[in-house]
Amino acid sequence: MIKTCLFPAAGYGTRFLPATKSLPKEMLPILTKPLIHYGVDEAREAGMNRMAFVTGRGKRTLEDYFDVSYELEHQIKGSSKECLLDEIRSLMNECRFSFTRQMSMKGLGDAIYTGRTLVTEEAFGVILADDLCVNDSGDGVLKQMVEIYKKYRCSVVAVMEVPKENISSYGVVDGKFIEDDLLMVSNMIEKPTPEEAPTNLAIIGRYILTSDIFKILSQTKPGKNGEIQITDALMEQAKQGMVLAYKFKGRRFDCGNLDGFVDATMHFYERSKQG
């Protein structure tokens, strides 16, 4: 039903300098796979096979990762190391990868709008790769959201409860529960103070968006921090129709900061030891 997943990946990753001076933050590895690979895995599990990337200057490594490396493959051909490429080869065979550039950093809303030329379906997924999500006991987060889209045919955002003292780092939603863990959005605020926040339900980097979001984004004025905020566009979409917020099943690691990155590494390391 939904075939395209959009990956906004133009940010500088300044929290990981100096590593991200030349290495895109989406290429930072959790064990032996970069963050972007986990994101593509999640999209593929959700039934999507068209991976669209909005990149920026210095992000060529992302394109190279999802391409054949002839010299490397020649060097390890026939060796015990060749099987280590099986997984990425499988993704390359199953999926189509396309890329465009965001010319300047104008916010997530602008990054999504920049990707409009790569999206052809009525609805599409969005994954922020530095939000690494896992569900060891069931479907991945994006697959859970696709099932909600199938039922309601509207935009869906993933949310989680966060401590009030951390709420100013997130977009926050409010509304009315229509099912367990599913909220019809009536309000969205980008990075509110703890006093301004109507709830502690924070949006994380997983979205299902319907195509009318592009027209709304084209008319959205800069908001918080002078950037085009996807929350402002979604709030307008909620006024015109319906937007749902889903308290997903699973765990999210904020790999945009060092603590979350280390926690994710330890989680996947412990999981690998269990076989």
Side-chain angles (χ1 to χ4, degrees):
M1 177 173 290
I2 300 176
K3 293 300 182 183
T4 299
C5 188
L6 187 67
F7 295 85
Y12 292 121
T14 52
R15 293 177 183 174
F16 283 88
L17 286 170
T20 48
K21 182 176 181 291
S22 60
L23 180 71
K25 66 176 180 177
E26 296 82 9
M27 290 299 297
L28 292 171
I30 302 295
L31 302 188
T32 59
K33 286 164 49 175
L35 288 168
I36 195 69
H37 190 139
Y38 289 97
V40 171
D41 281 343
E42 185 180 338
R44 189 71 194 95
E45 181 205 10
M48 304 175 197
N49 60 6
R50 298 171 186 168
M51 309 301 168
F53 299 81
V54 178
T55 66
R57 195 173 298 107
K59 298 276 187 160
R60 182 63 183 270
T61 310
L62 287 166
E63 296 184 44
D64 291 341
Y65 184 74
F66 295 105
D67 198 357
V68 177
S69 176
Y70 290 103
E71 291 183 4
L72 172 63
E73 298 210 8
H74 175 74
Q75 290 296 322
I76 66 174
K77 185 176 178 61
S79 74
S80 60
K81 299 293 179 63
E82 188 175 9
C83 64
L84 299 178
L85 292 178
D86 287 350
E87 189 174 350
I88 184 63
R89 283 171 172 168
S90 177
L91 276 184
M92 289 163 53
N93 287 333
E94 294 175 6
C95 302
R96 188 180 74 193
F97 300 89
S98 56
F99 300 82
T100 191
R101 282 194 175 191
Q102 185 183 20
M103 303 309 292
S104 59
M105 303 297 104
K106 297 179 181 178
L108 178 57
D110 182 70
I112 291 173
Y113 184 70
T114 300
R116 67 194 183 280
T117 56
L118 306 178
V119 177
T120 58
E121 284 77 29
E122 180 65 22
F124 60 99
V126 177
I127 286 180
L128 306 187
D130 55 0
D131 268 356
L132 177 54
C133 295
V134 295
N135 183 20
D136 293 333
S137 60
D139 292 338
V141 175
L142 202 61
K143 186 174 182 180
Q144 296 170 40
M145 295 170 69
V146 166
E147 293 305 310
I148 293 168
Y149 172 79
K150 287 179 181 178
K151 183 175 181 179
Y152 291 97
R153 301 300 179 97
C154 66
S155 291
V156 184
V157 301
V159 296
M160 61 180 285
E161 295 183 4
V162 301
K164 277 282 189 179
E165 59 267 25
N166 298 335
I167 206 73
S168 60
S169 299
Y170 298 89
V172 178
V173 304
D174 193 13
K176 179 182 178 181
F177 280 96
I178 59 174
E179 291 185 25
D180 290 344
D181 298 330
L182 192 62
L183 190 79
M184 184 184 296
V185 173
S186 61
N187 193 18
M188 282 189 179
I189 304 175
E190 181 66 24
K191 296 181 171 63
T193 65
E195 295 73 29
E196 293 172 330
T199 70
N200 69 337
L201 291 175
I203 303 169
I204 63 120
R206 297 294 183 276
Y207 305 80
I208 299 289
L209 300 177
T210 52
S211 60
D212 57 313
I213 197 70
F214 292 124
K215 181 177 180 180
I216 296 171
L217 280 168
S218 72
Q219 299 167 353
T220 300
K221 299 184 184 305
K224 197 84 170 184
N225 300 326
E227 298 178 336
I228 305 297
Q229 299 292 347
I230 188 62
T231 49
D232 293 341
L234 284 165
M235 189 62 243
E236 183 60 31
Q237 197 176 47
K239 292 176 183 176
Q240 297 178 13
M242 185 167 68
V243 173
L244 299 177
Y246 171 58
K247 291 178 65 178
F248 62 92
K249 297 175 179 65
R251 184 174 177 184
R252 171 254 191 178
F253 297 95
D254 181 4
C255 293
N257 67 62
L258 189 57
D259 288 344
F261 184 82
V262 172
D263 287 345
T265 300
M266 292 305 299
H267 175 86
F268 279 86
Y269 178 67
E270 293 297 329
R271 195 170 73 171
S272 71
K273 289 171 61 178
Q274 296 168 8

